[in-house]
Amino acid sequence: MSDTLWTAAEIAAATGGTASGDFAVDAVAFDSREVGPGALFFALTGETTDGHRFLDQAFASGAAGAVVSVPTPHPHVLTGDTTAALENLARASRARMDGVVIGVTGSAGKTGTKEALFACLDRPEPGQAHRSVKSYNNHTGVPLSLARMPRDTRFGVFEMGMNHAGELAALTRIVRPHIAIVTTIAPAHTEFFDSVEGIADAKGEIFQGLEPGGTAIVPFDSPYRDRLIAAAQPHAARIVTFGLGKGADVRAVEVLHGQPGGTFITAKIGDAHTLSFTLSQPGDHWVANAMAVLAAVAAAGGDLEQAGLALGELGGIAGRGAQLTARIGAGELLIIDESYNANPASMRATLAVLAGTRAQRRVAILGEMRELGVESERYHAELDGPILDAGVEAVLLVGEGMAPLARALEGRVDLVHVPDAASASARLATMLRPGDAVLIKGSNGVGLSRVVTALTQGA
């Protein structure tokens, strides 16, 4: 691949801006802390900050150029609106890409599925696949991820998220995927929707950007399957279902948990392929994710055997299932780091993973689930069953929203309820023991990643 991602002339042509001179970049960023040598820095202007304030910092870190709406002595492309310029550069990146583009959305499992799909497509020839990093899945993150895509990319995988109706429709028309995946539908962001059906409709917007001849990939076992299929039919030439249920186009026909190296799976992929492989990630939700991944690899013309090997090599993702060890007293404990996000469905899925984890004692450190609207109290209280079913003996609840669950669990497990992550960190030394398996999960805004850091780094 060419080392040059964009030239000043290409940036100016894509954005309608004016270049101060010739320069070339090999990376793109809008956070000055992510800028390295040779990067293009977008000085975005928002409600609370202005990227132009960080131009000197970006160039001190090695930026080769910037996109600005205010003149600067640094090498730059001057535009009227830097956010619009980022979207236009993203469109230019998508237009010059001759490979296969895959979009991923869902109420849970987006990032894990995106990472697994990238690993499967990149394994046969490292460097041929590109994906959005972190959880850059919103109105700025998606364009940034596209703008970062090397010009010779063969497979591009992009995560797309939403909080409100209409957001995915806008994002998918920028990404223009050949293949669009919905991982699952579950209560999430219900503060902004009247029903879970409304969430399904909003997730189904991803199909509106499908390229002609495109493929829609839909969860077979979801109660919203038919609703998603109806959303896909006007836009997709082909609709593929995945899951564990009989009748799914891509289906796990054999699942053996607890095998060396992970879960042994035999999958049927359409009528033509059967693939047996080991999945390194635990839990039935990951079995379903793997079926979505295989459906997409097949639709993209990827190598299914290499995909099976890649699924056995997946490492844990920080904040989304990474398993870590930490010292406590004279021994160690296991941490299941799910600290990045939470909704009722993902809480249940990861509690089931904890249930299958061998340990002297199972402990759950759970942060409140946010943006659940008027049903929030019920969704929190109803976690008592999954917690008890998982054999959890000690629970540390974090945040005011966890009060209904605290009441539901009172007298049934060892229970501590604290207001925030700092208070949770302060209780760790007295609460945890060597040999514990500890699930840490909550909405990102709760800040439970700080609890993970406190345990793993002794902070």
Side-chain angles (χ1 to χ4, degrees), residues 76-100:
H76 66 271
V77 171
L78 181 64
T79 68
D81 182 333
T82 53
T83 299
L86 178 59
E87 290 187 5
N88 287 330
L89 191 64
R91 290 188 178 93
S93 179
R94 176 65 184 86
R96 74 182 183 182
M97 193 266 200
D98 292 328
V100 178

Side-chain angles (χ1 to χ4, degrees), residues 201-377:
D201 292 342
K203 294 297 185 185
E205 292 173 11
I206 193 173
F207 304 127
Q208 295 176 19
L210 276 170
E211 288 286 90
T215 300
I217 298 178
V218 171
F220 179 84
D221 304 310
S222 171
Y224 307 99
R225 174 191 66 207
D226 293 342
R227 200 175 190 98
L228 290 170
I229 288 173
Q233 282 174 333
H235 310 286
R238 182 168 176 248
I239 299 174
V240 177
T241 59
F242 71 89
L244 283 69
K246 192 170 184 179
D249 297 317
V250 178
R251 178 186 171 214
V253 295
E254 182 180 23
V255 179
L256 299 175
H257 291 291
Q259 302 303 299
T263 301
F264 180 79
I265 300 171
T266 298
K268 186 177 180 182
I269 305 158
D271 296 327
H273 292 92
T274 298
L275 180 70
S276 295
F277 64 98
T278 299
L279 173 66
S280 64
Q281 302 301 301
D284 283 335
H285 63 298
W286 257 106
V287 177
N289 289 348
M291 297 304 102
V293 168
L294 293 178
V297 170
D303 187 320
L304 287 167
E305 285 70 28
Q306 290 283 340
L309 294 172
L311 289 169
E313 298 166 351
L314 289 175
I317 304 170
R320 291 184 170 85
Q323 297 198 1
L324 314 167
T325 57
R327 297 290 302 178
I328 189 79
E332 288 187 337
L333 52 76
L334 172 71
I335 299 167
I336 302 172
D337 177 13
E338 285 275 356
S339 59
Y340 186 80
N341 214 343
N343 59 48
S346 64
M347 279 284 197
R348 285 175 166 78
T350 50
L351 283 164
V353 171
L354 180 63
T357 302
R358 293 182 181 179
Q360 294 181 22
R361 189 178 65 145
R362 297 185 185 95
V363 179
I365 301 175
L366 305 178
E368 62 188 8
M369 302 176 290
R370 296 183 174 175
E371 298 183 356
L372 292 179
V374 296
E375 295 292 324
S376 179
E377 288 196 12

Side-chain angles (χ1 to χ4, degrees), residues 124-217:
E125 187 180 331
Q128 69 177 349
H130 169 80
R131 91 286 204 189
S132 45
V133 298
K134 300 183 181 179
S135 286
Y136 281 166
N137 63 18
N138 64 7
H139 67 286
T140 53
V142 170
L144 176 70
S145 298
L146 272 166
R148 288 174 164 178
M149 182 167 58
R151 60 184 75 227
D152 298 327
T153 296
R154 184 177 173 194
F155 300 105
V157 186
F158 298 95
E159 177 182 342
M160 289 178 266
M162 65 88 198
N163 292 335
H164 297 81
E167 291 178 339
L168 267 177
L171 292 176
T172 192
R173 288 187 172 97
I174 297 174
V175 175
R176 291 168 39 218
H178 299 94
I179 302 164
I181 304 170
V182 176
T183 58
T184 188
I185 301 296
H189 312 301
T190 50
E191 179 181 353
F192 308 116
F193 293 92
D194 294 333
S195 64
V196 182
E197 287 80 4
I199 294 171
D201 292 342
K203 294 297 185 185
E205 292 173 11
I206 193 173
F207 304 127
Q208 295 176 19
L210 276 170
E211 288 286 90
T215 300
I217 298 178

